[in-house]
Amino acid sequence: MFNKLIAAGLTAIVTSGLITLISYIAAVLDGIYDDNDVYFSVIDLFLIYTLSSFPIILISGILVDFFVKRIIPFFPVNRNIFLLKATVYVVFGGMVALIFLLPNHEGNYTFSNFSFLLLALSISGLSAFFYFWISLQLKRRKSHIS
């Protein structure tokens, strides 16, 4: 369980950094920020994103770990087990994003919001892959130490 907490924490930091960077670039391109407010706003956004994404990543990571442990025994063991697990994590990350996004859209998604939806699904899938990769590295490191 401690490894899952570390993996979720590191994934939250990486995902928050990515989201903060994207929102900062978008704000600079739109000319929203003044020179004095930029650094404080970026640090505040990073902390808010990290604290709010950590529980979501932890809970969804535990759920997908449980799901993967139940579905993987049905497949023969071969080289592509890493690819299969990574795909399941990315798909599940996208489903978690849809669960959070679709109830809040109030029926007014148009093609102008499609880029936001695609970006949100991409970030959530990438975040799920980071969680999978970090937890795999922690598991390998633990097995090498023991």
Side-chain angles (χ1 to χ4, degrees):
M1 184 65 180
F2 185 68
N3 285 340
K4 292 185 190 312
L5 287 172
I6 292 173
L10 291 174
T11 304
I13 290 170
V14 169
T15 304
S16 300
L18 184 64
I19 293 172
T20 304
L21 179 68
I22 291 170
S23 62
Y24 172 72
I25 290 171
V28 167
L29 291 177
D30 289 341
I32 294 173
Y33 284 131
D34 292 335
D35 289 336
N36 298 333
D37 295 339
V38 173
Y39 300 109
F40 294 113
S41 298
V42 169
I43 292 170
D44 291 342
L45 282 177
F46 176 76
L47 290 175
I48 290 169
Y49 289 151
T50 302
L51 292 177
S52 61
S53 67
F54 176 73
I56 296 168
I57 292 171
L58 180 65
I59 292 170
S60 61
I62 290 172
L63 288 175
V64 77
D65 283 339
F66 178 76
F67 181 71
V68 165
K69 285 180 184 175
R70 300 296 180 251
I71 199 169
I72 292 300
F74 293 114
F75 293 96
V77 177
N78 58 11
R79 290 182 174 181
N80 294 331
I81 202 74
F82 174 82
L83 184 62
L84 177 67
K85 284 183 179 181
T87 304
V88 169
Y89 273 86
V90 169
V91 168
F92 196 80
M95 288 177 12
V96 168
L98 286 176
I99 289 170
F100 283 115
L101 289 175
L102 290 180
N104 295 323
H105 71 80
E106 299 174 3
N108 58 2
Y109 275 132
T110 60
F111 286 110
S112 63
N113 298 97
F114 183 70
S115 62
F116 168 74
L117 186 62
L118 185 62
L119 181 65
L121 290 175
S122 300
I123 289 174
S124 64
L126 190 62
S127 175
F129 179 76
F130 281 147
Y131 177 83
F132 167 67
W133 187 73
I134 290 170
S135 63
L136 185 68
Q137 296 302 319
L138 288 173
K139 190 183 299 183
R140 285 183 182 168
R141 182 171 291 204
K142 185 179 178 181
S143 66
H144 287 299
I145 292 174
S146 299

